[in-house]
C-alpha cells in the first residue's frame, strides 16, 4: 500500500496483535478496520522514528502508544484531503515533543538559544566513544546532540524518506523553511558524526 | 552574521538528496559543483550521512504495543500521563499481593499537646509562623506574631514580574515587602477545630464501590452517594453546609466528573435580617452530575463556592477538544449547571464579595499571557442564560494574573503568571516562567487590585526552569495555605543534597503573613506520609497549623482497590516532628478528600 493511502480506503487487517472482538463497537466497524490497518502499517515506523527521537525504548513505546490512541480519537477528522502518514507522524512528533518538554529535553529556543549552545558536553572522549560503541550507538549519540527540531527533520528525511513537502506537513513548516532547517540539521549532524569518529 | 559563499549551495545540496530541486536549481548546483571542491565534499558528506541514517538498525516495536493501544483506547488512558491522569494504574498492574502493612512506614506520633500551644522556641528554625494568639484565627489575620529564625535570610527576593495591571486603576508600585492585608477587626468566631467537617469514603470492591459522606469514623454517614466510577480527588463544602461538590475520576478514561450532592437541609436563619435560606428542589441525598472534564490539571480541579453559598463555580475542559470554560451551578435556582463562558480558554477562579455583598467572580483567560476578569453574576437558569466573553464588560481586569485564589477574607491572593500553552488534547499549562505569586487583594476599597506581589516560593529562581502547575489551598484563617502537586519543569534547586526541591511529592505549608515567603524548609516532614505516597488533596484547617491530607498509598501492582489514608497533620517545627493522626485508614478503602465549611471572614461594608 502506498504510504499516502487514506485511512478510509484501508482494508481489513490481517493477523495483527489486535483484538477485534474487544475493539469492535457495532457502529464503528469501518473505522475499527481502518484503524487496525493504520496500526499495522505504521506502528513499526512510528516506533522507530520516536525511538530515534528520544533514544529510550520504554519512552518510545509509551509515546507510540499515545500516538495511536490519539489517532484513534481523531480518526473522524481524517478526510480525503489529509495525508494520513503525515497526519500520524505529526501526532507522533507532537506527542514526543510534549514528552520531552515534560522531561526538559527540548532545547530552549529564542532567548535561550545561547544557553543551549553553551550546555555542558557530558559525552566521554572521542577515543572512548569510538572504541566502546557500535556504529548504531555512535550515530544515535550524534543525533542526540542535535536540537530536537533538527533531529526531527533529519529523521523524517533520511530515516522515513519524506520529501520537504511531507516534512513540512508533519512539522507545520513551509517548504522553504524545511529546506533551510534540513540543511542546518545536516551541517550539525556532519559535525556531530565527525566528533563520533566518522571520517568526513 | 556573514554568509559564506558556499551556504546557498549547501541548501541546494541538501535538497538535492531528496529530489527537492527545481530544474533551474539543479542546473545552478551542477554548475557550481563543477568548480567547487568544498561543495563537492559537502555533497559527499551529506550523501554519506543520509546513507548512514537510512541504514540505522530497524527496531521492532514491543510485542504488546497493540494490546496496550487497544487497552488505552478502551480505557481512555494514555501511557505518558502523570499519575493523576492514570486512574487505571490504581486498578491494574501485575504481580504482588496487597502491600504489607506490617512495619508501616507512616510515622504516627500522637502527642497530647493541644493545638493552641505552639511548641516552638524562638531560636529554632521555624517553617511555620508561630501564632501567639489563640488560634481562633477565623476572626483575624492581623494578629499573628512570628519568631524570626536564623535561616533562611528574611530578605525577600526582588519582584520578578511587573505588577499586574488592574483596569481601571492606578499603577501599582512594586514592592519586596510581604503583602499587607487590610486591617480587619476581629469578630466573634467559634473556636476552630483542626478536624474536617466531613470527608468522602470510597470503599468496597472495584466492581461495586460505594461512596459516603462521613463526619467521623464509625458514625452513620451524613449521606450515601451514588457511587462514581472512580475515587474522589477534590471536594468543597458549601459555606452553609448544604452541598458537597466533588470531583471524581471517571473509571479509566482519563477524565473526571464534577458532582454535587445535597447533604443537608437549608439552615434556618436564626438572626433577624439574615439572608433567606437557599432552598433547592433537589432533595437531600440526591446527586447532580455537573459535567465531565479532562482530568489531571490542578487548574481544572478548582471548585469555588460563593461566600453566600448560592453559586458553585468550576471549570470543565472538553475531553475531546480540551477547550475549557467556566461553569456555574446555582442549586436554589436551577437544578442544571450552566456554561458561564463559551470561549474555550476560561477558568473559574475565586469569588469576592462586592461592597453591596453580591458575589463577583474572577474568571481567568489562559493564554500566552494570561489575564483575569471580574464579573458580576446574574441569576438566570440554564435555559435562558447566554455565556459571556470574560474579556468583555468586566468590572476589573488584571493582566498577568491567572486563576487568583483569594483567601477567605479576600485580603490575599495567590495567583499564577508566566507563559501558558495548550498541548494537543490537554489542559492549559505553564511552559515558561510559570510561578505562583502572593499578593494583597483590595476588597475594602472595592478596586480589586492585586498589589505588593512577590514570588510565593521566595527561594526559587524562576527562569527557564519554572512551574507547570501546582495545587494550592487556603486555610479558613485567611492566612495559612498549602501547596502540593508542584510540577517543577526544570532541574531541582536543592540547596544541598538532602532532598529534591521543589518536590511534587511534598506538601509546602506557609502563611501569607510570614515575611520569609515559602521556602524549602516549609515542606512538611517527609515522614508524615508513607514512602512513595501520592498527595491527592490537602485542606488547611481553620486553626492555621493543621493539614488534612488525602494520601494515596503506593501502588502495589495488584488488582486491589485503591487505598488512600486521611491524615491530620499537626505541623511542628525545628527538631520536633510533625504529629500525624490517621483520621481514616486506607486499609479499608479510599478516604478523602475532606472539606471544611469555610465562611467568608469579612464582608465588605
Amino acid at each position: 500500500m502506498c504510504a499516502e493511502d487514506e485511512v478510509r480506503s484501508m482494508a481489513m487487517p490481517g493477523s495483527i496483535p489486535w483484538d477485534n472482538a474487544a475493539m469492535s463497537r457495532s457502529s464503528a466497524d469501518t473505522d475499527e478496520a481502518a484503524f487496525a490497518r493504520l496500526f499495522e502499517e505504521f506502528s513499526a515506523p512510528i516506533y522507530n522514528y520516536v525511538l530515534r527521537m528520544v533514544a529510550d525504548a520504554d519512552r518510545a513505546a509509551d509515546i507510540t502508544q499515545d500516538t495511536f490512541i490519539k489517532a484513534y480519537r481523531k480518526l473522524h477528522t481524517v478526510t480525503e484531503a489529509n495525508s494520513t502518514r503525515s497526519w500520524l507522524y505529526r501526532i507522533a512528533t507532537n506527542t514526543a515533543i510534549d514528552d520531552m518538554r515534560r522531561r526538559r529535553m527540548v532545547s530552549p529556543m529564542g532567548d535561550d538559544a545561547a544557553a543551549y549552545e553553551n550546555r555542558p558536553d557530558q559525552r566521554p572522549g572521542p577515543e572512548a566513544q569510538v572504541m566502546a560503541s557500535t556504529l548504531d550507538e555512535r550515530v544515535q549519540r550524534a543525533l542526540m546532540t542535535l536540537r530536537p527540531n533538527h533531529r526531527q527533520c533529519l529523521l523524517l528525511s533520511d530515516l522515513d524518506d519524506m520529501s520537504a513537502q511531507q516534512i513540512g506537513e508533519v512539522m507545520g513548516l513551509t517548504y522553504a523553511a524545511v529546506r533551510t532547517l534540513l540543511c542546518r540539521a545536516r551541517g550539525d549532524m556532519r559535525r556531530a558524526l565527525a566528533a563520533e569518529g566518522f571520517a568526513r | 552574521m556573514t554568509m559564506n559563499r558556499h551556504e546557498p549551495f549547501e541548501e541546494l545540496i541538501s535538497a538535492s538528496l531528496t529530489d527537492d530541486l527545481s530544474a533551474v536549481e539543479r542546473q545552478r548546483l551542477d554548475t557550481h559543483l563543477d568548480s567547487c571542491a568544498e561543495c563537492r565534499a559537502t555533497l559527499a558528506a551529506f550523501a554519506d550521512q543520509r546513507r548512514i541514517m537510512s541504514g540505522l538498525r530497524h527496531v521492532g516495536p514491543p510485542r504488546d504495543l497493540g494490546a496496550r493501544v487497544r487497552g488505552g483506547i478502551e480505557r481512555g488512558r494514555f501511557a505518558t500521563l502523570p499519575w493523576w491522569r492514570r486512574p487505571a494504574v490504581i486498578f491494574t498492574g501485575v504481580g504482588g499481593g496487597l502491600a504489607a502493612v506490617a512495619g508501616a512506614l507512616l510515622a504516627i506520633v500522637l502527642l497530647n499537646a493541644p493545638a493552641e500551644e505552639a511548641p516552638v522556641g524562638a531560636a529554632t528554625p521555624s517553617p511555620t509562623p508561630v501564632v501567639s494568639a489563640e488560634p481562633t484565627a477565623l476572626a483575624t489575620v492581623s494578629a499573628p506574631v512570628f519568631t524570626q529564625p536564623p535561616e533562611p535570610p528574611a530578605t525577600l527576593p526582588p519582584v520578578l514580574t511587573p505588577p499586574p495591571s488592574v483596569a481601571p486603576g492606578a499603577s501599582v508600585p512594586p514592592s519586596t515587602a510581604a503583602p499587607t492585608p487590610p486591617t480587619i477587626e476581629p469578630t466573634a468566631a467559634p473556636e476552630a477545630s483542626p478536624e474536617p467537617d466531613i470527608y468522602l469514603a470510597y470503599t468496597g470492591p472495584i466492581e461495586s464501590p460505594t461512596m459516603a459522606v462521613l463526619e467521623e469514623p464509625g458514625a452513620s454517614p451524613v449521606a450515601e452517594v451514588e457511587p462514581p466510577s472512580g475515587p474522589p480527588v477534590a471536594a468543597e463544602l458549601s459555606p452553609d453546609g448544604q452541598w458537597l461538590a466533588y470531583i471524581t475520576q471517571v473509571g479509566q478514561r482519563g477524565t473526571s466528573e464534577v458532582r454535587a450532592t445535597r447533604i443537608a437541609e437549608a439552615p434556618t436563619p436564626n438572626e433577624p435580617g439574615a439572608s433567606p435560606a437557599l432552598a433547592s428542589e433537589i432533595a437531600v441525598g440526591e446527586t447532580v452530575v455537573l459535567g465531565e472534564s479532562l482530568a489531571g490539571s490542578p487548574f481544572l480541579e478548582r471548585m469555588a463556592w460563593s461566600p453566600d453559598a448560592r453559586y458553585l463555580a468550576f471549570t470543565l475542559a472538553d475531553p475531546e477538544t480540551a477547550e475549557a470554560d467556566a461553569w456555574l451551578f446555582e442549586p436554589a435556582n436551577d437544578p442544571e449547571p450552566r456554561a458561564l463562558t463559551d470561549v474555550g480558554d476560561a477558568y473559574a477562579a475565586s469569588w469576592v464579595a462586592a461592597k453591596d455583598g453580591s458575589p463577583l467572580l474572577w474568571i481567568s483567560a489562559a493564554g500566552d499571557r494570561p489575564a483575569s476578569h471580574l464579573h458580576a453574576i446574574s441569576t438566570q437558569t440554564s435555559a435562558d442564560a447566554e455565556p459571556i466573553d470574560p474579556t468583555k464588560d468586566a468590572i476589573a481586569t488584571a493582566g498577568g494574573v491567572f486563576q487568583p485564589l483569594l483567601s477567605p477574607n479576600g485580603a490575599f491572593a495567590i495567583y499564577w503568571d508566566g507563559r501558558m500553552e495548550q498541548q494537543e488534547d490537554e489542559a492549559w499549562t505553564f511552559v515558561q516562567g510559570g510561578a505562583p505569586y502572593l499578593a494583597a487583594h483590595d476588597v475594602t476599597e472595592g478596586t480589586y487590585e492585586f498589589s505588593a506581589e512577590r514570588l510565593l516560593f521566595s527561594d526559587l529562581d524562576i527562569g527557564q526552569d519554572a512551574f507547570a502547575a501546582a495545587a494550592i489551598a487556603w486555610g479558613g484563617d485567611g492566612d495559612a495555605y498549602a501547596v502540593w502537586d508542584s510540577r517543577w519543569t526544570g532541574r531541582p534547586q536543592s540547596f544541598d543534597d538532602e532532598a529534591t526541591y521543589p518536590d511534587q511529592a511534598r506538601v509546602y505549608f506557609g502563611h501569607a503573613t510570614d515575611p520569609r515567603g515559602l521556602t524549602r524548609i516549609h515542606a512538611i516532614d517527609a515522614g508524615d506520609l508513607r514512602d512513595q505516597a501520592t498527595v491527592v488533596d490537602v485542606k488547611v484547617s481553620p486553626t492555621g497549623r493543621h493539614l488534612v491530607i488525602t494520601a494515596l498509598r503506593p501502588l502495589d501492582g495488584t488488582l486491589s482497590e485503591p487505598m488512600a489514608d486521611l491524615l491530620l497533620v499537626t505541623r511542628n517545627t525545628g527538631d520536633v516532628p510533625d504529629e500525624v493522626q490517621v483520621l481514616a485508614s486506607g486499609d479499608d478503602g479510599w478516604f478523602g478528600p475532606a472539606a471544611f465549611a469555610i465562611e467568608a471572614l469579612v464582608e465588605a461594608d
Side-chain angles (χ1 to χ4, degrees), chain A residues 17-19 22-25 35 39 43-45 47-48 51-52 57-59 61-66 68-70 72-74 76 90-91 94-95 97-99 101-104 108-109 112 135-136 139-140 143 151 154-155 157-159 161-165 175-176 179-180 182-183 185-187 189-190 193 198 200, chain B residues 7 10-15 17-22 25 38 41-42 44-46 48-63 65-82 85-86 253-255 294 319-321 421 423-426 431-432 464-465 488-491:
Chain A
W18 196 268
D19 180 356
M23 276 294 301
S24 63
R25 296 186 178 94
F35 182 72
F39 181 84
S43 58
Y47 173 75
N48 272 268
L51 179 62
R52 296 297 174 183
D58 289 340
R59 286 174 59 202
D62 282 351
I63 292 166
T64 307
Q65 175 185 337
D66 288 358
F68 280 95
I69 294 171
K70 289 178 180 177
Y72 180 85
R73 288 182 172 182
K74 300 285 185 182
H76 64 280
R90 184 162 65 245
I91 296 174
N94 289 340
T95 306
I97 290 172
D98 194 29
D99 179 78
R101 180 175 286 124
R102 283 198 189 104
R103 296 162 191 271
R104 301 296 297 169
M109 305 300 285
D112 297 301
L135 182 144
D136 195 275
V139 174
Q140 182 64 49
L143 269 174
R151 191 156 71 241
L154 201 59
L155 287 168
S157 171
D158 293 354
L159 187 72
D161 202 24
M162 286 190 185
S163 66
Q165 183 70 37
Y175 175 83
R179 287 200 351 176
T180 302
L182 199 47
C183 177
R186 292 192 195 287
M189 188 62 175
R190 183 184 183 184
L193 286 173
F198 288 84
R200 293 187 206 262
Chain B
E7 276 190 23
E10 285 180 4
E11 186 169 323
L12 295 181
I13 291 167
S14 171
L17 299 176
T18 48
D19 289 331
D20 280 314
L21 287 183
S22 67
E25 288 175 323
E38 186 171 335
T42 299
F46 282 6
D48 276 356
Q49 184 187 113
R50 184 170 165 81
R51 194 161 47 247
I52 290 169
M53 291 280 290
S54 61
L56 281 173
R57 184 164 56 95
H58 191 84
V59 182
R63 289 189 172 197
L65 181 62
R68 289 169 57 177
V69 172
R70 180 201 65 211
I73 289 170
E74 289 296 303
R75 295 189 296 270
R77 189 189 85 178
F78 291 104
T80 56
L81 293 178
R85 289 188 60 187
R86 289 181 175 184
R253 292 162 56 184
T255 60
L294 277 179
E320 294 297 325
T321 65
E421 272 186 13
Q423 304 300 316
E424 186 179 9
D425 295 338
E426 293 190 16
V431 296
Q432 191 170 33
Q464 193 66 29
D465 292 345
W488 180 256
T489 61
R491 285 181 292 276

Side-chain angles (χ1 to χ4, degrees), chain B residues 248-316:
Chain B
T248 66
Q249 296 173 340
V250 176
Q252 301 171 350
R253 292 162 56 184
T255 60
S256 60
E257 196 171 80
V258 183
R259 297 168 145 224
T261 296
R262 190 173 181 195
I263 61 172
E265 297 288 352
T268 304
N270 52 10
E271 294 178 9
S275 300
L278 298 170
S280 169
E281 64 183 65
I282 302 166
V284 173
E286 286 190 16
T287 295
V288 182
V289 175
L290 303 177
E292 187 170 346
S293 174
L294 277 179
S297 166
F299 301 133
L300 291 173
E301 291 177 359
R302 163 90 177 140
M303 297 177 292
W305 285 101
S306 60
D308 61 1
R310 177 173 290 276
Y311 302 102
L312 174 74
F314 56 101
T315 306
L316 297 178

